[in-house]
Amino acid sequence: MRNLANWLILGLTLTFLIGPFLIIIFAGASAGQSLAFPPDGLSLKWYAKVFTVESFRASFMLSMFLAVFGTLTALILGIPAAYALNRYKLPGDETIRTIVAAPIIVPGIIVGLALLRYLVVPLDFTVTMALFMAHTALVLPYAVRVVSSSLHNLRADMEEAAVLLGCSRLQAFMKVVLPNIRGGVLAAFILGFVTSFNQVPVSLFLSGPGVRTLPIDMLAYMEITYDPSVAALSAMLAFMSLAIVFAAERLLGFSRYV
């Protein structure tokens, strides 16, 4: 009886988690002309239409640019920050950790409004530059936390041994520390990429004419057209995110770093 109850709870949990995803998949495969569930027959025409919409292609490229280069920039800033917080006793280190984590604590809509008010408007920053800075700031906490986790599991005396054998601190970091935390760095990149690519609240405030990320473009598309192509695109993006995480788990042992 207990096993039956456990299986029932597991089934209900999986239905709650996977159910909306399945609805999106089948809604995008509808043969009808409007978004509906259950679908009016099954067809892949809306999945094919996604590739013909010019705004989707342009916003996808912008989202890819922000996700890739924003995450790389966050790692360039986050790896030294994580190293300093883990290897040295800094004055006010807890305050520094709180400040670094602020972009994921403060609601994204407030971050977007603040950047719009104090960067884009008074300093005449371009929308693309403001988006890049916002996405970098949002990904930075993940980079610091994941890399910090890897550094915490790496014995400091390995680096000290390299220094005693004649390496400088920089050489010891490049030859000993970095190769041993590369899995954490790659895991941080993947987590940051997925977070940046799917970001909505901040991007909503910082979008402009002809400059919109893919999630914002999808919202704008639904204001004028209610066909199943948005559901089809949503399903494709979900599959892309799942594929990235699955590949990370298989190749890197992703769960060890987060």
Side-chain angles (χ1 to χ4, degrees), residues 52-60 212 214 217 221:
T52 66
V53 179
E54 174 61 30
S55 65
F56 286 165
R57 295 200 298 268
S59 58
F60 175 81
R212 290 187 295 205
L214 186 56
D217 196 38
Y221 184 85

Side-chain angles (χ1 to χ4, degrees), residues 1 7 10 18 59 70-71 81 103 136 138 141 213 235 254:
M1 190 68 180
W7 280 106
L10 177 61
I18 302 176
S59 58
T71 303
T136 300
L138 289 170
T213 61
F254 187 70

Side-chain angles (χ1 to χ4, degrees), residues 2 21 37 44 46 50 67 75 78 90 94-95 101 103 105 108 118 130 140 172 178 185 199 212-213 222 248:
R2 181 177 296 179
F21 182 48
F37 187 86
L44 295 178
W46 299 110
V50 167
L75 285 173
L90 302 176
E94 289 302 320
T95 302
I105 297 174
Y118 295 103
L140 182 59
L178 196 57
V185 173
Q199 175 58 227
R212 290 187 295 205
T213 61
M222 288 190 66

Side-chain angles (χ1 to χ4, degrees), residues 10-257:
L10 177 61
L12 291 174
T13 303
L14 290 176
T15 301
F16 177 77
L17 293 174
I18 302 176
F21 182 48
L22 296 177
I23 290 174
I24 290 174
I25 293 174
F26 285 105
S30 174
Q33 298 301 311
S34 61
L35 186 62
F37 187 86
D40 300 326
L42 295 177
S43 172
L44 295 178
K45 64 180 181 179
W46 299 110
Y47 284 90
K49 183 184 176 182
V50 167
F51 298 97
T52 66
V53 179
E54 174 61 30
S55 65
F56 286 165
R57 295 200 298 268
S59 58
F60 175 81
M61 294 305 298
L62 177 60
S63 290
M64 285 294 292
F65 169 81
L66 294 173
V68 172
F69 291 100
T71 303
L72 287 175
T73 304
L75 285 173
I76 292 172
L77 298 174
I79 292 174
Y83 180 83
L85 290 171
N86 275 269
R87 291 291 189 261
Y88 301 104
K89 183 62 178 177
L90 302 176
D93 54 352
E94 289 302 320
T95 302
I96 295 173
R97 292 178 189 275
T98 302
I99 293 173
V100 170
I104 59 176
I105 297 174
V106 178
I109 196 167
I110 296 178
V111 176
L113 179 60
L115 289 172
L116 177 66
R117 173 64 180 82
Y118 295 103
L119 284 181
V120 178
V121 175
L123 301 180
D124 199 26
F125 275 40
T126 64
V127 174
T128 302
M129 178 57 69
L131 277 170
F132 177 78
M133 294 177 63
H135 281 241
T136 300
L138 289 170
V139 171
L140 182 59
Y142 297 100
V144 173
R145 285 181 175 245
V146 176
V147 175
S148 292
S149 174
S150 295
L151 285 169
H152 181 73
N153 295 324
L154 179 65
R155 292 172 54 182
D157 55 5
M158 294 176 62
E159 182 182 357
E160 295 301 325
V163 173
L164 290 175
L165 290 172
C167 287
S168 65
R169 284 290 174 181
L170 180 59
Q171 289 174 328
F173 178 82
M174 298 300 295
K175 294 181 178 181
V176 177
V177 177
L178 196 57
N180 281 282
I181 64 169
R182 64 180 181 275
V185 173
L186 291 173
F189 177 84
I190 293 170
L191 183 60
F193 176 89
V194 174
T195 301
S196 174
F197 194 91
N198 296 307
Q199 175 58 227
V200 172
V202 172
S203 301
L204 187 63
F205 272 94
L206 299 177
S207 297
V211 182
R212 290 187 295 205
T213 61
L214 186 56
I216 304 306
D217 196 38
M218 292 167 65
L219 291 173
Y221 184 85
M222 288 190 66
E223 292 179 356
I224 57 175
T225 307
Y226 202 64
D227 61 39
S229 59
V230 170
L233 179 55
S234 300
M236 293 167 66
L237 293 177
F239 276 120
M240 183 185 77
S241 298
L242 287 173
I244 292 173
V245 174
F246 181 78
E249 172 64 29
R250 289 296 183 182
L251 299 176
L252 306 174
F254 187 70
S255 58
R256 291 180 297 171
Y257 303 101

